Amino acid sequence: MEQDIIVPLCMGLGNSKVGQVWTFSLPSFVTCPGASPWCRKHCYAWRLERLRPACRHAYVRNLALSLEPERFVTHVLASLPEDAPLVRIHVGGDYYGPEYAEAWRSICAARPNTQFWSYSRSWLVPTLQSGLEQLRRLPNLELLASTDPDMPLPPDGWRTAFIEIDPRADGTPCRHQQREVESCLECGYCFREREGNVVFKVH
């Protein structure tokens, strides 16, 4: 019987911004097909990876495992506690391919009592739009379309995450950045609501 070789999967548990929630990341840039020039210039995830090489190495391992979708789904479900209430997908990285997006659909479907949320610029990539639309329909995943001044507006019906310097920005300012709440977990606007845009400061 062939044995599955264990590949270390890195799932974080909270930080000062999001709060005590589970997080999953991939290496920035190489997994961000929808990234604009503005996004690449201001990428906070890349700054973190440069400051903490161990994080970059962990995210690369995550990417390597994700290239085998069935094993990836199995490892994520094995690493994520069944009673995990909340998961932030992609503090760094993005949905880079249709099979990868489908893997997350399978993960979310397998954990109906866990709430997932994510921001993505991959809606800009035609070959990924169908898969992201399927993700967006899941009852336990809130997927917001990120945009910036170098990008068009996302398709109708998408909740949008704007940058405040974008003249088109329209939505609720991030309450954590406004110092109104301690964390994303305390606020919950992005993952508990099913409608409404959010506006972030450049960070």
Side-chain angles (χ1 to χ4, degrees):
M1 182 176 179
E2 184 179 348
Q3 285 189 322
D4 187 20
I5 299 174
I6 301 299
V7 177
L9 180 78
C10 177
M11 295 197 71
L13 182 56
N15 58 38
S16 60
K17 179 181 185 298
V18 299
Q20 289 298 302
V21 303
W22 290 92
T23 64
F24 178 86
S25 291
L26 295 174
S28 56
F29 294 174
V30 296
T31 64
C32 301
S36 68
W38 188 96
C39 179
R40 290 178 178 275
K41 180 179 179 181
H42 296 276
C43 181
Y44 68 88
W46 173 241
R47 293 197 301 269
L48 174 64
E49 290 169 31
R50 284 188 300 171
L51 290 171
R52 300 179 181 176
C55 286
R56 176 77 177 182
H57 296 155
Y59 299 165
V60 169
R61 291 198 302 270
N62 285 350
L63 174 59
L65 185 58
S66 75
L67 296 174
E68 300 179 64
E70 290 186 8
R71 289 184 68 211
F72 177 67
V73 171
T74 298
H75 280 248
V76 171
L77 293 176
S79 301
L80 186 65
E82 291 193 13
D83 60 351
L86 187 62
V87 177
R88 163 76 186 273
I89 307 172
H90 300 145
V91 176
D94 207 338
Y95 300 98
Y96 62 82
E99 290 185 344
Y100 176 67
E102 174 62 19
W104 275 109
R105 191 195 67 77
S106 298
I107 293 165
C108 293
R111 293 295 174 84
N113 295 322
T114 298
Q115 177 66 45
F116 298 81
W117 98 99
S118 187
Y119 310 92
S120 177
R121 283 178 163 79
S122 292
W123 58 266
L124 193 61
V125 182
T127 56
L128 295 177
Q129 289 173 0
S130 176
L132 294 182
E133 286 289 352
Q134 292 183 47
L135 278 177
R136 208 166 66 85
R137 295 190 192 106
L138 293 172
N140 62 328
L141 170 65
E142 274 300 293
L143 178 59
L144 287 80
S146 291
T147 191
D148 60 58
D150 284 350
M151 298 174 65
L153 291 174
D156 290 342
W158 279 73
R159 295 182 71 189
T160 304
F162 286 102
I163 297 296
E164 67 175 359
I165 62 171
D166 191 330
R168 306 164 301 175
D170 177 31
T172 298
C174 171
R175 296 180 63 207
H176 175 262
Q177 291 184 334
Q178 299 293 324
R179 301 182 184 278
E180 296 175 3
V181 295
E182 291 293 326
S183 65
C184 298
L185 179 61
E186 182 181 344
C187 173
Y189 174 76
C190 290
F191 54 82
R192 292 195 184 106
E193 303 296 329
R194 299 298 293 187
E195 59 183 20
N197 300 331
V198 63
V199 181
F200 291 106
K201 296 179 180 179
V202 178
H203 60 290

